[in-house]
Amino acid sequence: MIFILGPTSKLKINDEVIERFRVYRQLESTATEAGGVLMGRFIEDSDDIIIDLITEPTEKDIRKRCFFKKHLETHQDLVDEIWEESDGTFNYLGEWHTHPEKHPSPSFHDRREWKKVLRKTQCESSLLFFFIIGTESIGAWVGNRRNVKINKLEVWNK
Amino acid sequence: MGNLQSYFLSFHDAIKLEIDDNKVLREKREELLDVLKENIDFEEGKYDIFHQGSYTMHTGVKPFEDGDYDIDVGLLFNISTVDYPNPVTTKKLVYNALKDDYENTEMKYPCVTVKFEGEDDEDDRNYHVDFTIYSNENIDGQTYLAKGKLGSGSDNRTWEHSDPKELVRTIKENLTDSEDRKQFRRVIRYLKRWKDLKFKSVVNRPSGIGLTVAGLTHFYPHFSYNAFTKIYDDLDALESFVQNMINSFSCRINDDGEWEDRLEVNLPTPPYNDIYEKMTGSQMKNFKLKLESLRDSLKEARDEADPVKACEILQKVFGQDFPVPTKKESAQQRGPAIMVDNSSA
């Protein structure tokens, strides 16, 4: 799945990641919200970005029907480990969570939290991404850390 | 997607073959020419040596798998077709001069071929040198190529109007900008390797010279500008070249009254014939299908944002010499990230 980032750049989510998202969809009325962080590559000689993997819910996370809070230290440790093992080529790219709706859109709470992420995260990328996994589709948003603006990403059709 | 260019350039470095870079090829050629000079029974005249073939035109590729290295040498004899009406007589001068020293000397219809077993331990490929023989001192000022085999009757031998030097010049000097020209040569080499891989052991496969000459009309350089610098895009150039060839297939009726979809590639120099005239209707059909499949793979690679996956697609098209980077190699290195506490609802 590919989203348009700019006239010459794309954001791709590799199939393995889509497969993991599929698992966490809130299909049952009792299913709780899941989430984690997005990680991937800034492609050499281009502005393309590939999401190669995600962190998934851990025991210490708080998961409710309509609420998710990841255990920061656990996920930060995972991100650090992957980043180190990849010699700095697999990087933190943003956050994901699920919604029990067909075509997801961010709640007021989500937007406020995303802005906090944009303002306070320390990393070398000016852009961060936010994914919401609905039961039938995936929504993707890009946030700019410089101006703290958030925009929805369009799916790229060949 | 400009970022596949570096992988195309590595592929090009892996497949290109320039005779000046290859000592064995050069030595074989010089050795044969020395033997020829020593043994030729041609007191009355002389001949000029002229290097033709893909290495001379900078479109040579390394032979694929068990393929031969081939070297093409033109011999322009200062004789007229009036004094030497039988072309085989002239070919025999060359054949006889070489056959005692080289047991694998054969007179083929368009040339005299000498085959060698590879001697090098690390590269035991075979070599062959094709000598084409021309009559180059005619009243009409033209050059004629000797065609015929030992014992060919007068119906099966001919002096064919030809202009090998002009052909080599036309291809070498195609396009005026030297960087555009380099892209032309690279793209021809990509296609030639594709052809070697995809038409392995196919009879009457599209020849390399056919693809090269097709490039004279169907290739356009593809690049964009970064301020004053041209940024070349070989993938785009190749895709449009392939598409232009596909578009140039046209239907015609063959001798059996059947419709055939054919690509004509006419030699830009005498005898101006269609280089692919010997391919049958079904061989042509196969050629077109393979071109279409190539185009589809090129498009797929261009649309793929992940260079690792794109190069995997291209490796299927061009073989193992096309590099596939690891995920690490494909990505920029960045510093660590320190995340913040947040929640979602």
Side-chain angles (χ1 to χ4, degrees), chain B residues 276-294:
Chain B
Y276 291 150
E277 63 197 353
K278 289 212 177 72
M279 287 173 74
T280 64
S282 67
Q283 286 162 350
M284 266 292 163
K285 194 174 170 187
N286 181 39
F287 182 30
K288 191 178 185 185
L289 283 172
K290 288 202 156 78
L291 283 173
E292 285 168 344
S293 151
L294 170 61

Side-chain angles (χ1 to χ4, degrees), chain A residues 1-2 10 12-15 41 48 50 156 158, chain B residues 1 3-4 235 297-313:
Chain A
M1 191 176 195
I2 297 176
K10 299 173 193 159
K12 188 190 176 195
I13 311 150
N14 268 337
D15 294 345
R41 287 169 288 155
D48 293 335
I50 315 286
W156 183 70
K158 289 177 194 179
Chain B
M1 261 311 307
N3 60 358
L4 294 177
L235 176 60
S297 296
L298 295 174
K299 273 189 196 300
E300 203 189 326
R302 185 162 46 89
D303 291 343
E304 172 58 62
D306 186 346
V308 176
K309 295 223 157 71
C311 287
E312 283 169 357
I313 296 167

Side-chain angles (χ1 to χ4, degrees), chain A residues 37-39 55 74-84 90-92, chain B residues 337 339:
Chain A
V37 309
L38 309 166
M39 292 193 76
T55 63
T74 309
H75 288 262
Q76 178 74 57
D77 285 350
L78 287 168
V79 167
D80 291 347
E81 200 180 311
I82 292 163
W83 175 81
E84 258 186 57
F90 278 43
N91 289 275
Y92 169 73
Chain B
M339 307 192 301

Side-chain angles (χ1 to χ4, degrees), chain A residues 56-103:
Chain A
E56 296 177 32
T58 67
E59 269 181 23
K60 290 181 176 169
D61 301 335
I62 301 164
R63 295 180 68 177
K64 303 221 168 103
R65 176 67 180 163
C66 286
F67 183 81
F68 175 84
K69 188 171 193 296
K70 67 173 187 287
H71 186 257
L72 182 63
E73 289 73 25
T74 309
H75 288 262
Q76 178 74 57
D77 285 350
L78 287 168
V79 167
D80 291 347
E81 200 180 311
I82 292 163
W83 175 81
E84 258 186 57
E85 274 178 15
S86 72
D87 294 329
T89 56
F90 278 43
N91 289 275
Y92 169 73
L93 293 175
E95 308 273 333
W96 71 274
H97 69 274
T98 59
H99 270 188
E101 57 180 331
K102 284 183 183 173
H103 305 291

Side-chain angles (χ1 to χ4, degrees), chain A residues 12 41-42 83 99 113 122, chain B residues 304 306 330 332 338 343 345:
Chain A
K12 188 190 176 195
R41 287 169 288 155
F42 297 95
W83 175 81
H99 270 188
E113 291 289 294
Q122 294 176 45
Chain B
E304 172 58 62
D306 186 346
S330 71
Q332 303 166 19
I338 301 165
S343 61

